Amino acid sequence: MSHKAGFVNIIGNPNVGKSTLMNAMVGEKLSIITSKAQTTRHRIFGIVNDEDYQIVFSDTPGIIKPAYDLQTSMMDFVKSAFSDADILIYMVEIGEKELKDEEFFNKIIHAKIPVLLLLNKIDKSNQEMLEEQVQTWQAKVPNAEIFPISALENFNVKEALNRIVELLPVSPPYYPKDALTDKPERFFVNETIREKILLNYDKEIPYAVEVETEEFFEEEKIIRIRSVIMVERDTQKGIIIGHKGAALKKVGMQARADLELFFDKQIHIEIFVKVNKDWRSNAFQLRRFGYNQK
């Protein structure tokens, strides 16, 4: 039997469960997950390997109307997901009516590649609502195969995965067969810390933050990490640190616990906070943090 391989790119509105789906498909937590919009900023590959196939899943930021340079760069990641996909996953949730960007929606309904529309969070609906939603999306996206799923409960995810395998083109693998992702270790350190900031702080703070890991030294039994949280203003720095450093200490403890599970090793982590004024609108800083790749 010929080997199959392909890029399966996941797009949709914010908070519909794209990251939960990819983590469920891959079997590892590669994308951070919170209830806040714009949790995913980058395009993240998660690779599923079998003897006869390789699936390169791509999680992308939720589709929004950009308000500043960082968000424009995030939408560029979504645009790139259309250009190299072998299979497109359009993810919606129960009760959703439309994609927030007409240009992207037109690309989906005129796609020349297989489109799977995954109707997520069906655990929050009843049979009548589900049937109505399926009919609605069949009319809106007639070129798509529809799979009602619950990514969180892992319901019908295996069936969608089996269909993806059937649709994969014949191809040699794109990555080594033991690869899990295209991102380096430091990226997952940064994302884990950023997830804890999203969970522990309100309002604008999480969106004004970027994380950079300056040191990552792996020894036989321990990984030593030094990371910096970048904020845009001094007032934000004070909020991140908290009274007597308590808020920052909490972030560090939560991040360390997750990273020890991810790397299966003891973690020693030091986290500092620096002001990097208006980095979200600075082209040089955005490139430094992996955005604005054009």
Side-chain angles (χ1 to χ4, degrees), residues 33-238:
I33 302 165
T34 78
S35 60
K36 292 182 171 140
Q38 301 169 46
T39 297
T40 301
R41 285 178 175 172
H42 293 264
R43 188 178 173 193
I44 303 166
F45 286 172
I47 303 168
V48 175
N49 289 294
D50 194 81
E51 185 178 345
D52 299 320
Y53 64 81
Q54 181 180 82
I55 309 171
V56 185
F57 286 102
S58 176
D59 186 17
T60 59
I63 294 171
I64 54 172
K65 295 284 188 184
Y68 44 84
D69 289 355
L70 170 61
Q71 292 182 342
T72 300
S73 179
M74 288 161 59
M75 291 309 96
D76 286 340
F77 287 131
V78 180
K79 289 175 184 175
S80 72
F82 282 95
S83 64
D84 61 16
D86 295 296
I87 301 166
L88 196 63
I89 291 179
Y90 174 30
M91 197 155 184
V92 300
E93 65 178 339
I94 285 287
E96 193 176 339
K97 301 296 185 197
E98 60 190 4
L99 195 61
K100 292 182 178 175
D101 188 295
E102 192 173 334
E103 178 189 351
F104 284 124
F105 190 75
N106 281 330
K107 286 184 177 181
I108 293 166
I109 62 177
H110 293 107
K112 304 298 184 188
I113 57 173
V115 177
L116 302 186
L117 190 150
L118 302 192
L119 180 56
N120 193 29
K121 305 184 184 179
I122 64 169
D123 48 303
K124 296 183 178 180
S125 71
N126 55 42
Q127 188 63 30
E128 183 182 353
M129 186 180 186
L130 176 58
E131 289 175 2
E132 181 270 325
Q133 287 274 282
V134 169
Q135 290 176 2
T136 297
W137 286 110
Q138 280 176 336
K140 283 180 177 287
V141 194
N143 58 318
E145 293 183 49
I146 298 179
F147 284 81
I149 69 162
S150 172
L152 188 63
E153 303 293 336
N154 217 15
F155 175 78
N156 223 22
V157 172
K158 180 67 173 173
E159 287 73 14
L161 181 64
N162 290 341
R163 182 58 178 144
I164 289 167
V165 173
E166 290 174 2
L167 292 168
L168 284 175
V170 174
S171 169
Y174 291 96
Y175 292 91
K177 278 292 200 164
D178 59 352
L180 178 65
T181 182
D182 65 320
K183 298 294 186 188
E185 289 96 339
R186 293 183 189 218
F187 176 84
F188 295 103
V189 175
N190 299 344
E191 288 290 273
T192 300
I193 295 169
R194 197 167 65 81
E195 179 187 54
K196 304 314 170 192
I197 293 168
L198 279 156
L199 292 171
N200 284 292
Y201 300 87
D202 293 326
K203 300 177 182 175
E204 177 66 9
I205 291 294
Y207 303 104
V209 161
E210 185 61 53
V211 182
E212 185 174 44
T213 294
E214 296 183 336
E215 295 179 2
F216 184 99
F217 296 121
E218 186 165 5
E219 300 171 13
E220 185 179 351
K221 295 183 179 179
I222 192 170
I223 300 173
R224 302 185 186 277
I225 298 168
R226 174 191 166 97
S227 300
V228 177
I229 297 170
M230 306 284 184
V231 295
E232 293 190 307
R233 297 191 297 276
D234 284 318
T235 51
Q236 294 166 346
K237 179 178 178 179

